[in-house]
Amino acid sequence: MIPNITKGDRMAGLLVYLAGPGRYNDHVDPRVVAGDPTLTAWRTESALDRDGAFAVARHLERPRRAYGVERVWDGSVWHCSLAIKDVEGELSDEKWAAIAHDFADRMGLTSDDAPCRWVAVRHGASTNGHDHIHLVATRVADNGKIYDTYRDQPKSQRVARALERKHGLLRLESRTVNRGDRGYKPAEKARADRTASPEIDRTKLERTVRACAAASADEAEFVRRARGAGLRIRPRFAPGRKDVVVGYSVALRPPKGEKEVPFGGGRLAKDLTLPRLRADWPDTPEAASAAVAEWQAAHAGRRAVAPGRETSEPGPELWERHTVEVGELRERLREAPDDDPSLWAHVARDAAGAFAAWSNGTEESPGPLAATARTLASSAQLPAHMMRPRPAGLPSARGAAYLLATAVLGRGPSLQAMLLRELANLIKALHDAHQAMGEVQRAGQIAVAVRTQLPQVTAGLPLADAVRVADSEAETAARLAGQGQAPLKAPRTRPATETARPDRRTDGPGDKTIER
Amino acid sequence: MVLAEAQHVTVPRLLVESTLSGQAETPTQRHHAMADLFGLQRLLAGLSGDLERVESDAEVPRLLAAVRELVGRIDEAIDGLSPA
């Protein structure tokens, strides 16, 4: 369940909107499902029309008017929507009423110290099909005190987690394991629609930056690659300095009539901040000065200072070496502990970088490679404090990103197929690790990506059979994760390179239940 | 001082408010009166909620109607006390 708090001053405006047809003409049968006792004692009917909305607003606002409170800092109207995922279906009004009462109680709206008047309105699912309610409260309590909104958003998340358990709702793994992706704002979506682009700018930026970072051997190369990929990348210098870079921002070249919107690295994804990127690059004085030179060139809009290996194409021996390296990483991970989120985040980031680089090189518009990269990147979104340095001597899949950044589909397809096979095995290991860590939804998303996205990639490559890594277990997880995918029709063959890991497997589908 | 104590305000505030409000009640007194009315209304509302759960008694609908009417009248009283 996702709570979203907004605050304002226009109680009647809000309630009339909730009772009305909605912005997208999507409100169905607006009704009051719950409210505080003073409301339900007075109002017995549940349907909410325009007049009813005004009446309810008048009732909720009565304490504010009675005490002559003209303005409350941060808004006198507290509004929180509570939404569940579309795959959970629709709850009954009674269930929502119980959830609303619990939520209001635990958020302190009903405390004896400052009891606030509130109402919960429901009007069908959102345009994306997510069932939800709106909880509207006045912040002026019956005794004239003001409801304290200090840190109400973190609190609402904690309450939502508790209510998920209490009411048997789908639990948000992104929150419980602290692995949330960055969300997007309606304005970003509107811009994508306006410019008829297949995805929002930030998604494209994230993938491109991820690809450039993964394919680069040092920071200077990253800057050159990003500029070469057509990004407007700018350094953020330390205050008063022009030779110390502490961060960066990137933007796409805006189409005519649109403004350039830059995003800081950390706004694209948690693992794309400059300090986190630097952790993968050599930390030497030479590399640092080369990087500063490139950053300054980017800042001033000059040409790249010292073009490096990104301008040349890797030879077959490099393909072989880096492919073997991915295999070695996979081997090393067999002994790796499952309960090490940091390690697996590193692995996920490596793999996501490789697919992002491949997507950038070969896909005109975002396709299966981009989707796979995005799914894998979600596994790398640990907050900085949970990350530990990469274990020393751990092989890396970053060489693969380097190769794939220059790969052109159709050229050297057998080399690509071999590399893809190793990467697919790596994804499988990641999937298993998620499952061992109890993150069934995450594992399910990866399984879906493997089943639906990778076959589209392998179709163009030889050795297509070798990369079919999805097995019945992955399918079970995917189904349990509620992704609503159709079952596979073609029989799956286990790849020859895939070896079973009995220590990680649970016994059968019956053992895996979604955590509720 | 006893009066100030009873209203939970400082002595200067009591003096200022009583001077400015002339013969009528002070804002603090009105605030307390309002809070009492709201408290009473909340109490009655709770009672009506409880009554709704008791369905066996024939008296319940009549009681419920009376409580609801009272809640409405308190609303009117509050509106009457409210500053325009």
Side-chain angles (χ1 to χ4, degrees):
Chain A
M1 185 169 71
I2 296 180
N4 185 22
I5 296 174
T6 46
K7 287 157 228 165
D9 283 304
R10 295 176 51 221
M11 180 67 83
L14 172 61
L15 281 165
V16 167
Y17 168 76
L18 294 177
R23 192 182 300 166
Y24 304 104
N25 212 12
D26 54 339
H27 293 175
V28 182
D29 184 19
R31 56 204 182 274
V32 171
V33 289
D36 83 306
T38 61
L39 179 81
T40 44
W42 150 80
R43 187 185 159 86
T44 44
E45 76 270 38
S46 73
L48 190 66
D49 56 7
R50 190 179 158 85
D51 291 343
F54 277 119
V56 171
R58 203 158 46 241
H59 174 81
L60 296 182
E61 288 267 83
R62 191 162 273 121
R64 190 184 68 76
R65 281 206 315 278
Y67 293 115
V69 181
E70 284 178 7
R71 272 197 76 77
V72 179
W73 177 83
D74 218 17
S76 64
V77 178
W78 190 86
H79 164 248
C80 180
S81 61
L82 297 171
I84 57 170
K85 205 168 162 55
D86 47 1
V87 294
E88 292 179 79
E90 284 198 2
L91 303 182
S92 64
D93 279 0
E94 291 73 32
K95 183 88 175 167
W96 271 126
I99 292 171
H101 274 287
D102 281 346
F103 191 79
D105 286 347
R106 294 187 189 204
M107 286 304 292
L109 285 170
T110 56
S111 73
D112 288 339
D113 182 44
C116 294
R117 298 181 166 200
W118 62 272
V119 64
V121 179
R122 184 180 185 195
H123 49 216
S126 69
T127 42
N128 289 333
H130 306 294
D131 192 14
H132 66 282
I133 57 167
H134 296 265
L135 199 145
V136 182
T138 174
R139 282 183 63 201
V140 182
D142 275 4
N143 55 10
K145 289 187 181 177
I146 306 294
Y147 172 66
D148 186 5
T149 55
Y150 175 68
R151 285 183 69 71
D152 57 349
Q153 285 169 336
K155 189 176 178 184
S156 70
Q157 292 288 355
R158 283 197 300 277
V159 171
R161 296 298 84 73
L163 293 188
E164 282 164 6
R165 275 193 297 278
K166 181 175 175 189
H167 291 281
L169 304 172
L170 191 68
R171 289 173 67 182
L172 229 62
E173 274 185 359
S174 57
R175 282 283 169 178
T176 44
V177 299
N178 217 341
R179 199 178 298 218
D181 287 335
R182 298 280 186 223
Y184 64 84
K185 297 277 193 308
E188 296 181 66
K189 182 82 174 61
R191 181 174 159 128
D193 292 342
R194 204 162 56 232
T195 56
S197 57
E199 57 187 346
I200 62 168
D201 286 358
R202 198 135 54 105
T203 312
K204 184 172 167 55
L205 278 170
E206 184 204 334
R207 190 175 58 248
T208 316
V209 168
R210 187 177 294 288
C212 294
S216 302
D218 55 38
E219 195 176 328
E221 188 184 338
F222 165 64
V223 181
R224 290 194 300 268
R225 275 189 191 274
R227 296 181 73 192
L231 301 185
R232 292 193 172 171
I233 185 160
R234 299 271 181 276
R236 186 161 79 83
F237 293 114
R241 307 286 296 263
K242 282 274 188 249
D243 56 352
V244 180
V245 180
V246 293
Y248 71 98
S249 70
V250 282
L252 290 178
R253 270 176 225 288
K256 210 170 157 61
E258 295 281 339
K259 269 200 271 186
E260 180 178 305
V261 183
F263 292 95
R267 290 291 107 198
L268 299 178
K270 284 179 197 160
D271 63 333
L272 293 181
T273 61
L274 194 55
R276 298 251 312 247
L277 293 181
R278 277 176 175 160
D280 285 339
W281 291 322
D283 185 14
T284 62
E286 296 80 36
S289 56
V292 166
E294 293 294 354
W295 281 118
Q296 285 170 343
H299 181 64
R302 291 194 305 268
R303 237 186 269 174
V305 179
R309 63 170 191 167
E310 72 276 4
T311 50
S312 57
E313 210 167 296
E317 71 288 345
L318 274 179
W319 276 92
E320 199 172 321
R321 199 174 88 205
H322 290 309
T323 306
V324 169
E325 204 174 348
V326 177
E328 281 170 3
L329 173 61
R330 171 78 178 86
E331 285 303 315
R332 275 286 296 275
L333 290 174
R334 282 184 206 285
E335 288 98 53
D338 282 328
D339 56 348
D340 186 354
S342 166
L343 171 76
W344 291 100
H346 281 296
V347 173
R349 194 169 113 170
D350 278 6
F355 279 96
W358 204 355
S359 163
N360 267 11
T362 55
E363 290 178 338
E364 283 289 313
S365 59
L369 290 170
T372 310
R374 195 163 169 69
T375 307
L376 293 173
S378 294
S379 290
Q381 303 301 307
L382 281 193
H385 69 87
M386 287 173 73
M387 290 300 286
R388 285 183 290 101
R390 198 183 178 92
L394 185 75
S396 147
R398 299 164 53 78
Y402 164 58
L403 300 175
L404 292 168
T406 53
V408 179
L409 213 59
R411 191 188 302 172
S414 66
L415 292 173
Q416 286 181 20
M418 276 181 5
L419 184 54
L420 178 61
R421 185 173 59 193
E422 295 296 349
L423 284 173
N425 285 337
L426 197 62
I427 299 178
K428 182 75 173 63
L430 185 66
H431 167 264
D432 290 352
H434 275 305
Q435 228 163 29
M437 286 189 272
E439 297 166 23
V440 189
Q441 291 172 38
R442 194 83 274 288
Q445 281 164 13
I446 293 178
V448 167
V450 167
R451 275 191 306 132
T452 59
Q453 309 293 350
L454 284 192
Q456 298 178 44
V457 181
T458 55
L461 299 170
L463 297 173
D465 281 348
V467 290
R468 284 189 185 160
V469 291
D471 58 8
S472 63
E473 189 182 356
E475 281 159 33
T476 311
R479 201 171 54 249
L480 286 167
Q483 296 300 310
Q485 294 290 330
L488 278 165
K489 291 187 185 76
R492 297 271 125 184
T493 50
R494 270 280 174 84
T497 53
E498 182 61 29
T499 43
R501 304 175 66 193
D503 54 329
R504 282 228 180 114
R505 297 265 155 81
T506 41
D507 291 320
D511 285 332
K512 283 176 280 302
T513 48
I514 193 156
E515 201 180 346
R516 275 180 182 270
Chain B
M1 223 155 99
V2 177
L3 207 54
E5 191 91 333
Q7 291 186 21
H8 297 290
V9 293
T10 59
V11 176
R13 178 167 177 172
L14 177 73
L15 292 175
V16 169
E17 284 186 344
S18 357
T19 313
L20 290 181
S21 60
Q23 292 300 311
E25 54 180 4
T26 66
T28 305
Q29 283 169 333
R30 193 162 64 209
H31 186 107
H32 286 318
M34 214 91 85
D36 287 344
L37 280 176
F38 275 121
L40 183 63
Q41 193 181 34
R42 192 161 278 277
L43 203 68
L44 285 170
L47 177 67
S48 94
D50 292 342
L51 280 175
E52 274 176 22
R53 281 188 278 278
V54 187
E55 285 170 354
S56 54
D57 203 312
E59 283 289 287
V60 167
R62 206 177 55 79
L63 266 173
L64 210 52
V67 169
R68 286 200 173 124
E69 199 209 324
L70 206 50
V71 168
R73 282 175 56 188
I74 294 176
D75 271 346
E76 285 164 25
I78 291 170
D79 286 344
L81 275 173
S82 303

